[in-house]
Amino acid sequence: MHFTLDQIRAFLAVTRTGNVRKAAEELHLTQPAITARIKTLETALGVELFDRSASMQPTKSGMALIGYAEQYLKLNSLIQRNVGQPEQVETLFRIGVSETIVQSWLPDFIAALRTEFPRITVEIDVDISRNLRERLLGNAVDLALLMGPVSDYRVENIALPAFEMTWLRAPDLAVSDPAKGAPVITFARDTRPFRLLKEELMERYGSSAVIFPSSSLSACFRLVAAGLGIGALPLSLAADYLASGQVERFDPGWTPAPLGFTASFLASPDAMVSARAAEIAQRTAVAYDKNN
């Protein structure tokens, strides 16, 4: 009897997703490749693992194999972590990232990750946290750096330092009240910071405050520097604008709540790289926070 890790991964992907197409997308393979691996595994074991007439539902033998297959992957992950060398790990590693992190410590994180795992291929997906959460739960990314935590029993969340928020304006813009004289420029409409800010502005000022949301933080800072509005934005990302005098901080008597982030990943038996990457992300974020 002989079977491979790739066959076990294909088997678990089909049981997890419920069909060959989704398993192929998850593993970045073709559907025929998944089918071939499942068939070869069935031949090696001498049993049918799926009922093809019932949308690839596991048979009794398939159900019995799931627990052993997960243990097999977990053992392989432990061997890689405790015995093998990280520099020998060769895989595609998919990272989902919020733009706040893209604009701050993402380059340092990728450099540190590649130092430990020089042979991995990194794929980066930048999106709002709501979409990143769905992509993580759908196994479309291996690690999500997002406004978390993700409340799902399958997900491991590693806390990251929060981003302090601040109020910003152009030096020649004589506005000190978020409800008067200029729109509030901030995060995109479908984000948690936008929702929380809108609720706070409504509670404090009623409907008199106007919000200009943007999906680009870079655009937010440029608009504020151009005097087109006041900004409710992360303080650490404003460092260059503050140092150059393009913007200045002001205090209307309150500040939006800090933004909490997590490094989140599915706690699967084969998550060695994801778990280690989350630890590297936390270390990188802490170093960035101390220096800013």
Side-chain angles (χ1 to χ4, degrees), residues 133 136-137 143-160 192 260-267 274-275 278-279 282:
R133 178 186 184 278
L136 176 66
L137 295 178
L143 177 71
L145 306 174
L146 77 173
M147 293 180 200
V150 177
S151 299
D152 189 283
Y153 74 96
R154 296 168 292 172
V155 176
E156 188 78 23
N157 296 289
I158 305 297
L160 303 173
R192 186 189 305 171
F261 284 81
T262 60
S264 303
F265 61 94
L266 292 176
S274 298
E279 294 171 0
Q282 184 183 54

Side-chain angles (χ1 to χ4, degrees), residues 4 25 30 42 53 62 71 73 88 105 136 140 175 186 196 202 209 212 226 272 288:
T4 67
E25 291 174 356
T30 64
E42 289 178 324
S53 66
Q71 291 177 37
L73 287 190
Q88 299 304 315
W105 49 264
L136 176 66
V175 174
T186 194
L196 295 177
M202 179 62 69
F212 281 8
M272 184 273 292
Y288 176 87

Side-chain angles (χ1 to χ4, degrees), residues 225-290:
L228 298 175
I230 59 175
L233 297 163
L235 174 59
S236 64
L237 303 190
D240 290 342
Y241 286 90
L242 290 167
S244 64
Q246 297 180 72
V247 302
E248 64 182 17
R249 299 176 70 184
F250 71 97
D251 183 9
W254 66 282
T255 305
L259 306 180
F261 284 81
T262 60
S264 303
F265 61 94
L266 292 176
S268 68
D270 203 22
M272 184 273 292
V273 176
S274 298
R276 182 61 188 139
E279 294 171 0
I280 295 171
Q282 184 183 54
R283 185 185 70 206
T284 304
V286 168
Y288 176 87
D289 189 56
K290 287 181 179 178

Side-chain angles (χ1 to χ4, degrees), residues 189-233:
R189 185 175 302 276
D190 293 332
T191 64
R192 186 189 305 171
F194 174 88
R195 176 175 55 81
L196 295 177
L197 178 64
K198 183 178 180 180
E199 291 173 356
E200 185 75 17
L201 290 171
M202 179 62 69
E203 182 177 333
R204 289 177 178 272
Y205 309 111
S207 59
S208 58
V210 177
I211 307 178
F212 281 8
S214 173
S215 60
S216 168
L217 288 178
S218 295
C220 288
F221 283 103
R222 291 198 299 271
L223 291 170
V224 173
L228 298 175
I230 59 175
L233 297 163

Side-chain angles (χ1 to χ4, degrees), residues 83-163:
V83 180
Q85 297 298 314
E87 59 267 22
Q88 299 304 315
V89 175
E90 186 171 357
T91 188
L92 171 66
F93 191 66
R94 305 160 300 170
I95 306 171
V97 195
S98 293
E99 198 198 353
T100 305
I101 292 174
V102 172
Q103 298 288 343
S104 53
W105 49 264
L106 180 67
D108 294 336
F109 166 63
I110 297 299
L113 183 65
R114 289 277 293 163
T115 296
E116 183 152 341
F117 298 100
R119 300 181 67 180
I120 68 170
T121 299
V122 176
E123 182 177 284
I124 299 172
D125 181 8
V126 182
D127 208 334
I128 61 174
S129 292
R130 185 183 67 180
N131 294 343
L132 294 177
R133 178 186 184 278
E134 295 308 312
R135 291 183 64 76
L136 176 66
L137 295 178
N139 253 297
V141 296
D142 301 299
L143 177 71
L145 306 174
L146 77 173
M147 293 180 200
V150 177
S151 299
D152 189 283
Y153 74 96
R154 296 168 292 172
V155 176
E156 188 78 23
N157 296 289
I158 305 297
L160 303 173
F163 283 82

Side-chain angles (χ1 to χ4, degrees), residues 2-12 27 37 69 72-77 80 270:
H2 175 73
F3 50 85
T4 67
L5 277 170
D6 287 339
Q7 292 163 5
I8 293 295
R9 289 191 179 102
F11 165 74
L12 287 176
L27 297 179
R37 290 181 183 185
Y72 188 79
L73 287 190
K74 185 174 183 179
L75 179 59
N76 175 70
S77 184
Q80 285 186 338
D270 203 22

